[in-house]
Amino acid sequence: RKEVEQDPGPFNVPEGATVAFNCTYSNSASQSFFWYRQDCRKEPKLLMSVYSSGNEDGRFTAQLNRASQYISLLIRDSKLSDSATYLCVVRGFQKLVFGTGTRLLVSP
Amino acid sequence: DTAVSQTPKYLVTQMGNDKSIKCEQNLGHDTMYWYKQDSKKFLKIMFSYNNKELIINETVPNRFSPKSPDKAHLNLHINSLELGDSAVYFCASSHRGTSKNTGELFFGEGSRLTVL
């Protein structure tokens, strides 16, 4: 089983839609969780951290369920510029482990 | 100014050759990494250095040899290149563990290696 698993997508949504991505992780001792964004042929960049109580940053909401070892990212009012691959990231021992990413395509 | 810069951006070479990728960061970070992203977009850590000391060495063929002359530089040398080495190699840097929630890696733009 992979350490971090995500649905690869792609998720095709129209502008203005709400879309949610899920991620599961295998190491129950993991302490820190993040979402990164990677545009086509670019480097990954931190989108947001994921806190136990859930957190929001503008149109983006991240949730953590430790019991189910599950992380989610909700994007409201999708913009064309949200089209990218979203990487779920979990802190393992001394390193960050990346999921394979979920591709989002927002169309006009 | 580029925070994490790596060169070259593109590298096309023949099987069996030896090549190097250089990385430099001007963020004052103490930890640097090499990640490999394959054709399926899976981003996997290869090496990590903290203050010039190797702290992570994943299961990587010993044809790959990292070198950190100082904490701002981490280079990657690859001997006897194979077809399967074709990938995008990302250098990254961070502050190590000032907070358990610290997760921000700053990546370079990547070096796309194609082995023919």
Side-chain angles (χ1 to χ4, degrees), chain B residues 11 13-20 63 77-81:
Chain B
L11 198 49
T13 189
Q14 299 285 337
M15 263 197 315
N17 284 350
D18 303 338
K19 290 294 176 188
S20 293
R63 298 182 295 104
H77 187 76
I78 315 170
N79 289 327
S80 303
L81 279 156

Side-chain angles (χ1 to χ4, degrees), chain A residues 32 91-96, chain B residues 25 27-33 45 48-56 71 92-106:
Chain A
S32 305
R91 178 174 288 283
F93 179 63
Q94 290 190 324
K95 66 182 180 183
L96 294 182
Chain B
Q25 54 96 4
L27 297 167
H29 289 160
D30 56 6
T31 306
M32 295 185 72
Y33 311 80
I45 192 167
S48 172
Y49 272 74
N50 177 259
N51 284 322
K52 301 193 299 176
E53 180 187 345
L54 180 66
I55 56 171
I56 293 174
K71 69 176 188 176
S93 72
S94 72
H95 275 305
R96 185 184 182 195
T98 53
S99 154
K100 71 176 182 181
N101 285 325
T102 299
E104 186 157 18
L105 290 183
F106 291 81

Side-chain angles (χ1 to χ4, degrees), chain A:
Chain A
R1 183 183 172 190
K2 286 182 184 169
E3 289 186 72
V4 180
E5 296 208 58
Q6 297 181 248
D7 180 344
F11 284 53
N12 290 286
V13 302
E15 265 187 298
T18 294
V19 61
F21 307 138
N22 302 322
C23 165
T24 56
Y25 60 95
S26 61
N27 185 353
S28 59
S30 299
Q31 292 295 315
S32 305
F33 310 90
F34 312 91
W35 284 100
Y36 273 68
R37 170 189 169 136
Q38 186 173 21
D39 292 305
C40 188
R41 301 180 78 86
K42 297 284 190 182
E43 71 274 24
K45 292 183 180 177
L46 179 67
L47 178 67
M48 61 194 300
S49 301
V50 185
Y51 302 124
S52 297
S53 53
N55 50 297
E56 192 173 300
D57 183 0
R59 297 181 293 108
F60 298 84
T61 301
Q63 297 276 357
L64 169 64
N65 183 323
R66 285 189 187 273
S68 302
Q69 293 178 210
Y70 168 99
I71 305 156
S72 66
L73 177 68
L74 182 79
I75 305 176
R76 290 182 300 279
D77 188 21
S78 299
K79 311 291 184 193
L80 294 176
S81 57
D82 293 335
S83 296
T85 297
Y86 291 84
L87 304 165
C88 176
V89 184
V90 175
R91 178 174 288 283
F93 179 63
Q94 290 190 324
K95 66 182 180 183
L96 294 182
V97 180
F98 284 75
T100 50
T102 298
R103 192 163 169 224
L104 172 66
L105 298 171
V106 182
S107 53

Side-chain angles (χ1 to χ4, degrees), chain B residues 2-104:
Chain B
T2 305
V4 181
S5 59
Q6 49 183 114
T7 55
K9 284 191 172 49
Y10 299 96
L11 198 49
V12 180
T13 189
Q14 299 285 337
M15 263 197 315
N17 284 350
D18 303 338
K19 290 294 176 188
S20 293
I21 307 172
K22 295 185 176 181
C23 180
E24 175 182 3
Q25 54 96 4
N26 63 7
L27 297 167
H29 289 160
D30 56 6
T31 306
M32 295 185 72
Y33 311 80
W34 278 109
Y35 278 82
K36 177 181 179 181
Q37 189 168 44
D38 59 27
S39 57
K40 295 182 180 175
K41 307 301 182 188
F42 181 48
L43 194 64
K44 186 168 167 53
I45 192 167
M46 300 172 69
F47 303 103
S48 172
Y49 272 74
N50 177 259
N51 284 322
K52 301 193 299 176
E53 180 187 345
L54 180 66
I55 56 171
I56 293 174
N57 184 350
E58 294 290 292
T59 308
V60 176
N62 58 15
R63 298 182 295 104
F64 291 78
S65 52
K67 279 192 172 51
S68 182
D70 55 60
K71 69 176 188 176
H73 294 84
L74 180 61
N75 304 323
L76 182 65
H77 187 76
I78 315 170
N79 289 327
S80 303
L81 279 156
E82 300 178 357
L83 293 177
D85 297 334
S86 295
V88 181
Y89 293 85
F90 285 101
C91 176
S93 72
S94 72
H95 275 305
R96 185 184 182 195
T98 53
S99 154
K100 71 176 182 181
N101 285 325
T102 299
E104 186 157 18

